[in-house]
Amino acid sequence: MTGTDGSRMWRWAAALAPLLLFALLASLFAGCGGKGASTGGGEKRDELVVALGGEREEGYDPTTGWGRYGSPLFQSTLLARDDDLEIVNDLARAYEISEDGLTYTVRIRDDVKFSDGRPLTAEDVVYTYETAAKSGSVVDLNVLEKVVAEDDRTVVFTLKEPMTTFVNLLITMGIVPKHAHGDDYAYNPIGSGPYKMVQWDRGQQMIVEANPLYYGKKPYFKRITFLFLEEDAAFAAARAGEVDMAVVPHTLAANSVPGMRLLRVPSVDNRGICFPCVPAGSSDEEGNPVGNDVTGDMAIRKAVNMAVDRKALVEGVLKGFGSPAYTICDNLPWWNPETVVKDADLEGAKKVLEEGGWKDADGDGIVEKGALKASFTLIYPSSDQTRQSLAMAAADMAKKVGIEMKVEGKSWDDIERLMHSNAVLFGWGSHTPMEMYNVYHGKFRGEGWYNANYYHNPGVDAYMDRALAAGSEEESLEHWKKAQWDGETGLSARGDAPWAWLVNLDHCYFVNEKLDTGKNRIEPHGHGWPITANIVDWRWKD
């Protein structure tokens, strides 16, 4: 094909793209019988069509990780968090923790049935946790010694050691039916949650219907169609009035859509720079290089933290749809507000560099320490435009104090090989402090994606270990906060600065003006459908 023919073909493809999109949407609606915003008018509706992304290739089985980031929707959990993130009962009628923190006894309701009509018993709970523990998936149940059914309604969990965050597994693990948990369960899930799956057309749509056997508050909407559209296509569907809700990136959130309002939901879906914290020269078990002589110097890491202007990143890169980030857990109950550092403190950053022995001896604008120049690579996933923009903007800010961050886009496969020896722009964010433990604790150095920078501070580890061993989540909070900053050291920018957290993203949705989504909660990292956590409260307004 010649260059001219290629150009002509591209123009034809560009011209046909909107037609193809609407043809696709038309075929989907013809298939599911859905009605979007354009047909809402003053009519009272009990069906919704939404475009929230989140199609999970591996399916919807909690024993392999489904539901960790938001509601499992099809399954229910022993405990839950309410709109204020307080812990409340769900399947549980009551639970108690032994004084030594090793035994969790949970008494479950006697009125719960799976969507196939079979009762949910303690044996199903035991089966779920035992299966998850054996799955080798992202569900971490290493602390679980055993789980037994004391009777049909009582489950007893015994831990190998005290772990206050174990309660979060009771909050996130959806219970599966022992009698119906076959090889294809992930693609045809049966559960006791507010909705049941009735149709899944891979890559196109999923239709769910209200579970008539659900024991909790009855959902208002009887049927919901989830369209699996890319972000631009979801926005186009919103503008065309074909969906009632569409998740959009911040780059599109500033637009207006007739008949829809913009819903901004705060999140702990954060983005930050992970710095290798040890000198170069070693390798991991797979032979990948470990360490970086420049970022291994704490003065460099602290200077970058002081030089970046987080508010400017929010306004310039996120178009205002976010907030500055200072830790992995801003505004959650275990966050220490003393971790906030002064933004865009160029003079302070230069002073830290000077005190650390870094100065621009050759006048090229980049500081050196002996023969070592303050220059390193900052990697971002090449498929993520937001991370690219954040990386480039942060590099410009760091350059003002004499630190050169060379920005490069890589595949996730490449990042996995390079993340121990190069700075990487990652994202985290969860409703459990266990994430902070996994990312910062020394015993996870180099284990998978956790603690990729080989950070280790025995004092920080000790605080987090005390937090896990505390008598309750409430008692653990002070230890989590001191791990971040205790006045002398910590894992935050005021301490060792192993990360430079930059921003928390707002999750942005265009929502039909008639759709009331209730009180929305601070959302975790964007896997799954966190917006549906309170779906039983959604209503169509008169």
Side-chain angles (χ1 to χ4, degrees), residues 486-500:
D486 69 356
E488 295 182 0
T489 188
L491 57 81
S492 68
R494 295 196 67 183
D496 302 322
W499 285 69

Side-chain angles (χ1 to χ4, degrees), residues 281-519:
S282 58
S283 58
D284 65 12
E285 293 179 351
E286 298 179 358
N288 300 314
V290 172
N292 184 300
D293 289 335
V294 178
T295 62
D297 189 315
M298 186 163 60
I300 293 291
R301 305 195 302 266
K302 291 179 81 74
V304 173
N305 266 283
M306 298 171 79
V308 293
D309 186 341
R310 295 167 177 81
K311 294 182 179 65
L313 293 175
V314 170
E315 294 303 319
V317 177
L318 302 185
K319 310 303 180 187
F321 297 109
S323 59
Y326 298 95
T327 69
I328 197 171
C329 59
D330 290 6
N331 299 310
L332 293 176
W334 47 93
W335 176 52
N336 184 348
E338 294 180 6
T339 55
V340 175
V341 295
K342 182 180 177 182
D343 271 6
D345 183 7
L346 302 185
E347 293 308 312
K350 291 176 181 176
K351 184 178 180 183
V352 165
L353 289 172
E354 184 178 355
E355 291 174 349
W358 296 89
K359 61 181 180 180
D360 184 10
D362 59 9
D364 67 350
I366 308 301
V367 297
E368 299 93 25
K369 189 174 185 178
L372 184 64
K373 189 175 285 290
S375 176
F376 59 92
T377 300
L378 171 59
I379 297 173
Y380 67 91
S382 55
S383 58
D384 191 322
Q385 184 178 350
T386 298
R387 296 192 205 204
Q388 178 188 29
S389 299
L390 288 171
M392 295 176 69
D396 287 343
M397 294 169 179
K399 195 166 186 177
K400 294 178 182 177
V401 298
I403 297 174
E404 182 181 46
M405 296 197 292
K406 294 176 286 190
V407 176
E408 292 185 15
K410 297 288 185 182
S411 69
W412 281 111
D413 287 341
D414 287 338
I415 290 173
E416 192 170 12
R417 290 188 297 101
L418 299 169
M419 64 183 177
H420 303 317
S421 57
N422 294 272
V424 181
L425 210 150
F426 278 127
W428 290 94
S430 171
H431 285 164
T432 168
M434 198 64 201
E435 184 169 81
M436 184 167 73
Y437 188 87
N438 293 334
V439 170
Y440 288 102
H441 200 288
K443 72 180 183 182
F444 292 119
R445 283 172 288 180
E447 284 204 13
W449 298 96
Y450 293 141
N451 203 343
N453 54 355
Y454 283 69
Y455 171 65
H456 185 211
N457 179 330
V460 168
D461 290 352
Y463 279 128
M464 292 196 288
D465 289 337
R466 286 181 208 135
L468 286 187
S472 67
E473 183 177 77
E474 185 176 0
E475 291 177 19
S476 73
L477 297 182
E478 193 60 26
H479 300 299
W480 292 119
K481 292 177 181 178
K482 286 184 176 177
Q484 295 159 51
W485 176 243
D486 69 356
E488 295 182 0
T489 188
L491 57 81
S492 68
R494 295 196 67 183
D496 302 322
W499 285 69
W501 292 103
L502 303 177
V503 297
N504 295 304
L505 309 180
D506 282 351
H507 290 172
C508 298
Y509 305 86
F510 280 112
V511 180
N512 191 306
E513 290 176 343
K514 292 283 188 179
L515 177 57
D516 179 358
T517 59
K519 181 179 179 180

Side-chain angles (χ1 to χ4, degrees), residues 11 17 43 50 57 79 105 149 152 165 177 183 190 201 228 278 349 353 399 443:
R11 289 198 298 272
E43 179 187 354
V50 300
E57 290 184 8
L79 303 175
T105 302
D152 275 356
T165 55
D183 292 340
I190 292 171
D201 304 312
F228 299 125
V278 295
L353 289 172
K399 195 166 186 177
K443 72 180 183 182

Side-chain angles (χ1 to χ4, degrees), residues 34-47:
K35 295 178 179 179
S38 65
T39 58
E43 179 187 354
K44 199 157 184 172
R45 300 261 306 280
D46 62 3
E47 296 186 13

